[in-house]
Structure formats: structure tokens, C-alpha cells
Amino acid sequence: MKGIAFISNGDGSRVVMAAGFARSFVPEGTTIICATPAGGSPSPAVIAAMKESGIDVSDIRIHPIDDLENSRSDLVVAICEKAREACPPMPGTPPIVTWNIHDPAAPASGPKEAFDTVSNYNLRSTRDSIEKHIEELFSMGYFKALSNVNTFFESVLNNLSDGIIVHDFNKRILHFNKAAEKITGHTAADVIGKSCHDIFPGGFCGPKCNFCDES
């Protein structure tokens, strides 16, 4: 199963719009995840703007970005640089691309009538920019090519005779190849996203592991 995650900072309007457009392009069975630092739900303004394009996004949930620590995706699209910096290490270490699309919720000043006009214009402009990016991502074959990076990498790991366990700085397991499954008796599905010290207590890695001395 393929998966794609859209991440941004701000109110989540950009990831919701990206997910809404992506639904028309992703292969059947592909999971789509939206994430921002706070999570939440689509705003009425975003729902209305997307309805103008014939797309219903009212059912889309915005996850807290920390939820990605336990989420499997083949590609992450950071819609702003700050979101890319905030993205936690993810199981499978999927490739990340950055678009840097304008935040339509950027602060504005002036009379309410002028503010509403600017806000609506910014929202539609951002929506149209995201639609173009999404169309190119899928119609030009970028999603397929980038998501296949993970498939190829996993294939390489699984064809090695040595057991390979990859974890992040918090000891959370990101990769666990077939040889590691055979050696340890654990499956990748059981250990991915969990602390290697919880799965393998008692200095399993041996004296050369820099993480085994940490509490």
C-alpha cells in the first residue's frame, strides 16, 4: 500500500487542500495523511473554497505532526520549510519534498471588508497553486518515482544476509530487515516505531553501541 503525507505549519488549510486534490490522482488503496503542529479540522473557508473546485474536504482530519512518528508513508510533501524542519523521523524514512506555498492565513490589517477580500483572494490563489503542484506531482510521474525510492531501499535491505536495524536518536526503530526478523524472531510490523531498548533489553547491541549507555 502506498502512502503520502502532507505537512505544513499554520492552520492546516494548505494540507487539506493538497489532500483534497490528491484524492483524484492517487492510486487505489493509497493512504493520505494531513499534519500540522496542532492538528485540527478544515475551516469553513477552506471547505467553501474547495467546494468551488468541486471537491468536498469536510471529512478530512488534520493530525498533530508528532503522529507521523508512527505513520508509514512513501512520500512526505512539506508545503513550507518550517514544516519540513518540524517533521519527526518516520518509519521507513520516506523522501521529503518541499513546495513553499504561501500561507493564506498570513496576518492582514485594515477594515473587515478589505480583510475578507484579501483573505478570500489569498485562499483561492493558494488553492490554485496547490492544485497545479498536485497535478504535476502525479501526472508527471514524480509521486511514483519518489515513492519507489522506499520500495527499492527496502528491497536492498531485505536482500542482505546481515540483520539490519536502523533507529533514530530517540532509539525508535525505523528499519528492520528480513534477516533481522530471522535472527531475532521479531517481525518488522511488531517493532517499527518502538524503542529498540524496549524490544531488546539487556544490552542486545553489545558494548559498541553508543546508545546503550544512555538512560
Side-chain angles (χ1 to χ4, degrees):
M1 178 183 292
K2 297 291 185 180
I4 182 169
F6 296 101
I7 61 175
S8 73
N9 65 338
D11 65 355
S13 58
R14 289 170 291 181
V15 292
V16 168
M17 291 188 285
F21 286 121
R23 284 174 167 178
S24 302
F25 292 94
V26 295
E28 185 176 355
T30 302
T31 60
I32 302 176
I33 298 175
C34 298
T36 65
S41 301
S43 69
V46 170
I47 293 174
M50 291 299 289
K51 188 172 290 187
E52 292 177 355
S53 296
I55 297 175
D56 181 13
V57 296
S58 60
D59 63 322
I60 293 178
R61 177 189 173 192
I62 308 170
H63 295 260
I65 202 166
D66 287 343
D67 283 2
L68 296 182
E69 290 185 348
N70 299 309
S71 172
R72 293 299 298 261
S73 292
D74 297 281
L75 177 66
V76 177
V77 176
I79 302 185
C80 59
E81 188 64 38
K82 288 184 178 180
R84 183 187 183 108
E85 296 170 357
C87 185
M90 296 174 61
T93 55
I96 304 176
V97 298
T98 306
W99 286 349
N100 283 325
I101 294 175
H102 174 71
D103 183 359
S109 60
K112 182 180 186 302
E113 294 78 9
F115 173 78
D116 289 343
T117 300
V118 171
S119 296
N120 290 336
Y121 173 80
N122 286 344
L123 194 61
R124 292 187 177 103
S125 177
T126 297
R127 176 198 64 195
D128 295 344
S129 177
I130 289 175
E131 181 179 18
K132 180 179 178 181
H133 279 72
I134 289 291
E135 184 175 357
E136 291 178 349
L137 177 67
F138 290 97
S139 63
M140 300 296 287
Y142 298 134
F143 173 70
K144 182 177 181 180
L146 289 167
S147 61
N148 282 344
V149 170
N150 262 14
T151 302
F152 176 75
F153 183 61
E154 292 286 348
S155 178
V156 170
L157 288 183
N158 286 327
N159 279 283
L160 295 175
S161 58
D162 292 330
I164 304 295
I165 303 173
V166 179
H167 63 74
D168 62 16
F169 287 108
N170 293 318
K171 312 181 193 73
R172 198 164 47 85
I173 298 172
L174 305 177
H175 290 281
F176 199 80
N177 72 347
K178 294 293 185 182
E181 290 184 325
K182 185 176 180 179
I183 292 169
T184 66
H186 293 283
T187 66
D190 290 335
V191 304
I192 293 292
K194 298 179 181 177
S195 168
C196 62
H197 282 194
D198 291 338
I199 302 297
F200 307 111
F204 174 84
C205 301
K208 293 184 179 181
C209 179
N210 293 328
F211 290 84
C212 286
D213 292 333
E214 298 178 7
S215 57

